[in-house]
Amino acid sequence: MIKNIQLNSFIGLFCAFTFSNVNAQQALFIPSTLSGSTISLDIQQGAVNFLPGNSTPTFGYNGNFLGPTILLNKNDSVSFNITNSLLDITTVHWHGLHVAPENDGGPHQEIMPSQVWSPSFKIRNNASTFWYHSHVHMSTEYQVNLGLAGLIIVHDSTEASYVLPRTYGIDDFPIIIQSKSFDILNQLAAFTHDDSIMMINGTIDPVLDAPAQVVRFRCLNGSADRTYNLGLSTNANFYVIASDGGMLDQPISANRVRLSPGERYELLIDLTGMQGQSLYLMSYASQLQNGIIGSPQVGTGMAQLPGYAMNPLNGADFNLLNIDVVAQTTNPVTTIPVQFQTNVKWLVQNADTSRILTFAPEVMGPQEMVEGPFTISGKSFDMDSINIHIPFNNTEIWSIVNNTMVAHPFHIHDIQFNVVDRNGVAVTGIETGWKDVVLVRPQETVRVIAKFETFYNDNIPYMYHCHLLHHEDEGMMGSFIVNSTASTGINSNIYNDIKVELYPNPVGDILYTTIPKGADFVIYNSTGQVIEYYEKSFLEDKLVVHTSSFVNGMYFIQVKTPKGIIVKKFVK
Ligand code: C2O
Ligand code: CU
């Protein structure tokens, strides 16, 4: 049996107290499942013997560590009873699920110690793999690191119509990938870059007996900040069938998949005819682009993450899971579907509003460019303020601009989005599927589009944030409210206290605008060509634009103030 080939290269370099103690492979733990119309979770303290010596204090749902996999069907209504048996405040966020803000489990839905939280909601998402985890204000990294995370599998009738592996734990496997750092007393240490121990579903050095047929891996990156570059030790291709929020249009053949924190991809791996062989699911992190945590290099010169170069996983290719291929099951799946249902995506030309969200360090400096703390459009998270107001049913394009030297996985609650482009280049392949997390690399601008439908609430916000958990805890997060007033012909919006109104829309010969005094003001057409430009050239908060010479078509007004940027659309 091949064992830990890739780790051997640096095992000598790295320490007596980690790998040398962990030499026995263990069967991959498969979390139990919960289903039905009432689901109870008890959030508990526990302890696990991860390493020889002291046991490790942990948190878990209905157990010591992590949580059961929750099986849901689209259109079912489910009630939850969630008991907090911890001594700490916690929350339970349904990452990726389209639920009302009061059910979302973000930092505003705190569950006090010994209290019970009982949200109930209808499952509206399409079949895919989601997850639940703590989202408590400023301690998300600590709580997720200790074990507060679990998988959610949503089934629907469309997915059920394809020949796919879907017997949980037999040919359909949860793969929760996490890196951990243990201190000398075997306690899980958060807030370090020393996360050198890998675990899948809480199992260190795991082995899975998988049947010699097509198997399905539901991969979740549940790590605090490490990105993986999934591949097989055989370098064989596999098929990606689903991204965060749903199935792709068709299986896409690949031999590498980049998985940043919070993201999910479902893989089909064809093990047909391989009985008796042994292979590894690996991370080929040496091939990750620099700037991504886990890649060979993050930052340059003075801009360094403390201890980054010392961590043996950074820039290395390493094993995640040993797969021992065993006998086929009865009725094995041995084929890969050719086509799934085509997803109907949001179209850029139908967007009502565009916004720009910019990542920058709170304080400028080389070290700060990689280490943060980071802000989004100049703001740190504030529990009591709302950053963005979105009219109900608005379709929006968010341009996410990364002006830092580290890659950030950006997550939006409530909706699933389509990734439009990266630095103006349309995305392809597995990135064309439904997503709720997108990795934004240094110097990259990523545009995403989504419609904010079904739920509105004038008081309770949803979150958007970096899914590197210490970035989120340090304030790289903002809040948005989907307002009850639907989007109308008169564009009116507030962003970071910027109020912009345009009327009439569609416009004739004159466009009346209300915008903040002293703002820069640019009008451009649908191809991005600038038509009018006013640089702090007016002192009034009203501006009349003569549009008689404008050709018929769609236009955008970008209003830029020190507080942020907002883009509104109008039609001539
Ligand atoms: Cu996975 Cu706002 O969280
Ligand atoms: Cu970040």
Side-chain angles (χ1 to χ4, degrees):
M1 189 186 293
I2 320 163
K3 190 165 180 300
N4 282 348
I5 3 162
Q6 308 300 327
L7 283 179
N8 288 340
S9 55
F10 56 74
I11 212 164
L13 285 176
F14 196 72
C15 351
F17 63 82
T18 57
F19 294 116
S20 62
N21 283 342
V22 187
N23 41 32
Q25 278 195 325
Q26 302 172 72
L28 176 71
F29 177 71
I30 304 292
S32 61
T33 60
L34 283 177
S35 57
S37 56
T38 307
I39 286 176
S40 297
L41 293 174
D42 186 21
I43 310 175
Q44 311 170 346
Q45 295 189 55
V48 176
N49 291 311
F50 284 115
L51 301 172
N54 294 330
S55 69
T56 301
T58 53
F59 290 161
Y61 301 99
N62 300 358
N64 284 314
F65 189 69
L66 300 176
T69 298
I70 301 177
L71 307 177
L72 301 170
N73 295 305
K74 186 175 182 179
N75 296 321
D76 280 1
S77 290
V78 184
S79 303
F80 294 86
N81 287 310
I82 299 171
T83 308
N84 179 6
S85 300
L86 304 178
L87 299 173
D88 301 356
I89 298 172
T90 191
T91 80
V92 181
H93 169 52
W94 318 103
H95 180 127
L97 293 189
H98 183 44
V99 299
E102 63 271 27
N103 293 329
D104 192 45
H108 295 81
Q109 284 88 49
E110 292 182 333
I111 317 172
M112 297 296 154
S114 76
Q115 296 293 297
V116 179
W117 185 50
S118 301
S120 55
F121 48 84
K122 182 174 155 181
I123 308 307
R124 295 167 190 272
N125 289 76
N126 292 330
S128 200
T129 304
F130 304 89
W131 63 306
Y132 59 103
H133 63 78
S134 162
H135 212 303
V136 70
H137 186 42
M138 294 175 74
S139 291
T140 296
E141 179 176 32
Y142 173 73
Q143 294 197 353
V144 172
N145 192 44
L146 260 70
L148 293 187
L151 213 64
I152 297 172
I153 295 175
V154 174
H155 290 290
D156 68 15
S157 56
T158 309
E159 188 269 349
S161 71
Y162 304 111
V163 177
L164 286 171
R166 63 172 70 81
T167 311
Y168 182 80
I170 303 293
D171 61 4
D172 182 349
F173 300 102
I175 307 285
I176 303 171
I177 307 173
Q178 295 180 305
S179 59
K180 301 285 178 186
S181 150
F182 289 89
D183 71 11
I184 206 80
L185 297 171
N186 287 349
Q187 308 228 10
L188 284 164
F191 324 117
T192 77
H193 294 288
D194 182 27
D195 55 334
S196 54
I197 295 201
M198 291 306 312
M199 53 176 69
I200 310 292
N201 303 345
T203 310
I204 298 172
D205 202 3
V207 59
L208 171 68
D209 286 349
Q213 61 204 52
V214 175
V215 297
R216 182 175 189 167
F217 278 16
R218 297 175 180 268
C219 301
L220 158 69
N221 184 345
S223 303
D225 67 2
R226 180 172 297 280
T227 290
Y228 306 98
N229 190 26
L230 303 181
L232 296 170
S233 54
T234 55
N235 265 316
N237 276 32
F238 45 81
Y239 297 85
V240 185
I241 57 166
S243 56
D244 302 341
M247 302 185 74
L248 302 176
D249 292 354
Q250 69 271 309
I252 293 179
S253 176
N255 68 356
R256 297 287 183 271
V257 164
R258 185 177 74 194
L259 191 72
S260 70
E263 287 186 302
R264 289 88 63 207
Y265 282 109
E266 291 179 24
L267 316 182
L268 293 185
I269 303 173
D270 191 354
L271 302 173
T272 308
M274 292 175 65
Q275 187 176 342
Q277 295 183 38
S278 184
L279 67 158
Y280 282 86
L281 177 70
M282 295 181 53
S283 176
Y284 287 91
S286 68
Q287 299 162 2
L288 287 171
Q289 295 121 321
N290 287 341
I292 299 171
I293 304 251
S295 73
Q297 195 185 331
V298 175
T300 53
M302 304 265 290
Q304 294 294 339
L305 282 175
Y308 190 82
M310 299 293 289
N311 189 316
L313 297 182
N314 290 335
D317 298 340
F318 52 90
N319 295 326
L320 296 171
L321 172 65
N322 189 189
I323 304 165
D324 278 345
V325 187
V326 299
Q328 277 191 346
T329 62
T330 46
N331 299 318
V333 173
T334 54
T335 54
I336 307 288
V338 174
Q339 196 65 40
F340 299 131
Q341 189 169 296
T342 303
N343 290 289
V344 180
K345 291 167 188 157
W346 304 123
L347 298 175
V348 168
Q349 58 266 34
N350 294 341
D352 301 295
T353 303
S354 298
R355 302 175 195 274
I356 298 173
L357 285 79
T358 306
F359 302 158
E362 205 172 281
V363 180
M364 275 298 164
Q367 180 82 5
E368 287 74 9
M369 289 293 276
V370 281
E371 231 195 335
F374 298 104
T375 57
I376 302 178
S377 294
K379 296 245 174 175
S380 272
F381 181 62
D382 173 0
M383 277 286 267
D384 303 319
S385 73
I386 303 301
N387 298 100
I388 300 180
H389 288 258
I390 297 175
F392 179 53
N393 276 336
N394 226 35
T395 301
E396 305 214 343
I397 295 173
W398 291 14
S399 297
I400 307 146
V401 182
N402 185 357
N403 287 339
T404 78
M405 288 175 72
V406 61
H408 305 273
F410 185 71
H411 172 46
I412 309 177
H413 288 210
D414 179 23
I415 48 78
Q416 292 290 326
F417 53 73
N418 298 124
V419 185
V420 178
D421 49 21
R422 293 181 173 275
N423 286 340
V425 180
V427 297
T428 56
I430 62 172
E431 284 205 309
T432 59
W434 293 107
K435 298 282 296 158
D436 54 50
V437 178
V438 64
L439 187 67
V440 187
R441 291 167 48 217
Q443 305 314 313
E444 204 172 30
T445 295
V446 175
R447 292 200 304 162
V448 302
I449 183 169
K451 184 170 184 183
F452 294 83
E453 54 188 356
T454 325
F455 305 108
Y456 55 80
N457 187 310
D458 291 327
N459 301 305
I460 305 175
Y462 292 106
M463 301 295 117
Y464 55 87
H465 59 90
C466 174
H467 221 290
L468 301 189
L469 299 179
H470 60 283
H471 289 181
E472 173 192 332
D473 283 342
E474 283 177 350
M476 194 178 181
M477 175 155 71
S479 59
F480 67 95
I481 272 188
V482 181
N483 281 114
S484 54
T485 345
S487 167
T488 64
I490 298 171
N491 285 297
S492 169
N493 221 327
I494 299 166
Y495 175 64
N496 292 346
D497 319 317
I498 309 170
K499 197 164 193 306
V500 174
E501 289 178 356
L502 311 175
Y503 52 94
N505 188 1
V507 71
D509 288 346
I510 293 178
L511 176 71
Y512 299 92
T513 69
T514 308
I515 54 177
K517 283 182 182 141
D520 292 342
F521 181 95
V522 186
I523 299 178
Y524 53 94
N525 66 16
S526 57
T527 65
Q529 195 187 353
V530 175
I531 309 295
E532 296 261 11
Y533 188 83
Y534 304 86
E535 192 174 353
K536 295 183 180 54
S537 58
F538 49 95
L539 296 169
E540 291 302 313
D541 58 1
K542 294 201 189 316
L543 182 73
V544 174
V545 183
H546 294 273
T547 46
S548 50
S549 63
F550 286 30
V551 296
N552 289 347
M554 196 190 318
Y555 293 87
F556 298 91
I557 291 190
Q558 183 189 79
V559 178
K560 192 173 175 183
T561 78
K563 288 175 176 171
I565 296 171
I566 186 163
V567 180
K568 303 297 300 180
K569 180 177 85 171
F570 70 93
V571 177
K572 160 106 192 237

